[in-house]
Amino acid sequence: MEFELIERIRAHCSLGRADVLLGIGDDAALLAPPAGHELAASTDTLVDGVHFPQGAAPRDIGWKSLAVNLSDLAAMGARPAWALLNLTLPQADADFVDQFAAGFAELAGQHHLALVGGDTTSGPLAVGVTVLGFVPAGRALRRNGARVGDGVFVTGTLGDAVAGLYCTQARGGAWAQLGDSQRLALLERMRRPTPRVAAGIALRDQASACIDVSDGLLADLGHIARCSGVGIEIDAPLLPASPALLDACDEATRIALQASGGDDYELAFCASPAHEATILRDLARSGCGATRIGRVTAGEGVRLLDAQRGEIVLARTGWEHFA
Ligand code: ADP
Ligand code: MG
């Protein structure tokens, strides 16, 4: 049964790459990284009821399990190449596996990524994905390079994914009155995040530090501040919002979602003002665009400021396991 499931996965993810010398089917894959590059490796686990709602569509779980991993490679400026998939399933459900693999393969195809191995076991539903990618030697984006005077930027828009989650919960108020198309736009951001791979690659040699926004903007920028030994100020009125989010809630709620809601998978990064024009042009071309939202300062920590430069203190700054 296990082998039939693996065969199903393999059939969906049949994309071939010349640098895969041996893929699914032996004890280990054999892979040939290109000369002059470093291998970027990252892994993330999605657990039923924690990282996706119980009863989520298997296709969306397949997409998202890869998307969150590709987002980590994007934040390093790496180009994705290979993935391994660890599937834990409550039962040998061929339908589930087919749909899951179709969602996974849809995103893998967009990035010319080959699935080269994995493991399939029984137990409570969980999905672990490991991604491998390349970055030219010495050019990866890290968290520790931000300098006082740099601008702080973010790709795309913030807060939609958590707003999407709210739309699935019975929250009443404005959320209940949202039109179908707005609701769908927000839900789509939660179910099928877009990893900013092209943006990450464009930021090589341009950004001084980069991270993907998975836990919440302020929490994730906190990692850059700590690793770089700097402070960060964010101007709340500059945070980019989608039209759907602008319509969905009042300003205070929106700012809280943008600053602390997780799961957006945008890139937050710092860059010298000398690179700003090039970055904004290149990221507009890459499709997602970017917005300057603040600055790197001396000191430590991340502060969210209103239009009068007063500090906005939020109840929570991001998502944390075991909190
Ligand atoms: P082993 O017993 O040597 O670990 P497995 O029976 O677990 O081998 O897997 C057989 C082959 O199928 C291996 O090449 C493995 O990488 C691949 N494989 C197993 N599960 C998956 C999966 N969920 N996705 C992709 N490849 C898988
Ligand atoms: Mg195995």
Side-chain angles (χ1 to χ4, degrees):
M1 199 62 207
E2 181 191 334
F3 296 102
E4 194 202 310
L5 295 179
I6 297 171
E7 209 33 59
R8 280 178 188 275
I9 295 168
R10 201 229 295 252
H12 280 280
C13 304
S14 60
L15 184 146
R17 287 179 59 109
D19 54 14
V20 179
L21 309 180
L22 191 59
I24 293 172
D26 212 310
D27 292 309
L30 294 174
L31 309 167
H37 288 67
E38 287 159 7
L39 198 55
S42 185
T43 193
D44 258 319
T45 306
L46 270 62
V47 176
D48 190 21
V50 179
H51 300 93
F52 51 85
Q54 266 166 351
R59 248 188 129 93
D60 292 336
I61 302 172
W63 172 287
K64 189 165 181 176
S65 67
L66 180 57
V68 303
N69 277 278
L70 292 182
S71 178
D72 284 319
L73 287 188
M76 301 298 293
R79 185 182 297 284
W82 309 311
L84 295 128
L85 169 63
N86 288 13
L87 255 189
T88 308
L89 299 169
Q91 61 257 325
D93 181 343
D95 252 12
F96 180 97
V97 167
D98 269 336
Q99 288 176 55
F100 173 91
F104 187 99
E106 194 180 337
L107 182 58
Q110 289 183 10
H111 295 280
H112 199 61
L113 174 124
L115 182 65
V116 299
D119 198 29
T120 306
T121 51
S122 71
L125 178 61
V127 187
V129 175
T130 301
V131 283
L132 299 160
F134 315 133
V135 62
R139 291 175 63 195
L141 301 169
R142 305 184 185 202
R143 297 178 176 182
N144 65 359
R147 295 287 169 265
V148 175
D150 283 353
V152 179
F153 302 80
V154 70
T155 60
T157 60
L158 292 169
D160 295 327
V162 173
L165 179 66
Y166 284 5
C167 288
T168 66
Q169 302 165 340
R171 282 188 175 254
W175 301 104
Q177 281 144 39
L178 270 187
D180 282 346
S181 69
Q182 287 159 313
R183 179 184 289 270
L184 212 68
L186 297 173
L187 279 173
E188 196 65 7
R189 289 290 310 268
M190 175 190 74
R191 292 174 178 154
R192 292 198 163 217
T194 305
R196 302 303 190 190
V197 172
I201 291 171
L203 286 171
R204 288 177 193 160
D205 309 321
Q206 303 285 329
S208 56
C210 186
I211 193 168
D212 66 320
V213 181
S214 54
D215 295 335
L217 178 72
L218 300 184
D220 289 319
L221 284 176
H223 298 308
I224 287 188
R226 200 168 9 78
C227 294
S228 301
V230 298
I232 289 178
E233 286 177 358
I234 297 301
D235 298 319
L238 299 182
L239 294 174
S242 68
L245 186 68
L246 282 170
D247 275 356
C249 53
D250 60 64
E251 190 186 6
T253 306
R254 186 183 75 225
I255 287 172
L257 295 185
Q258 291 176 293
S260 70
D263 254 15
D264 287 317
Y265 301 100
E266 298 292 351
L267 297 182
F269 57 95
C270 304
S272 145
H275 292 314
E276 178 166 345
T278 310
I279 286 174
L280 295 181
R281 185 200 63 202
D282 289 352
L283 295 203
R285 278 187 196 151
S286 87
C288 59
T291 308
R292 182 165 46 73
I293 56 171
R295 66 205 73 83
V296 177
T297 64
E300 59 181 31
V302 183
R303 300 196 317 137
L304 181 66
L305 305 178
D306 63 23
Q308 288 74 43
R309 295 186 59 80
E311 184 163 3
I312 303 172
V313 178
L314 300 173
R316 62 182 272 266
T317 57
W319 173 262
E320 238 186 277
H321 290 278
F322 309 112

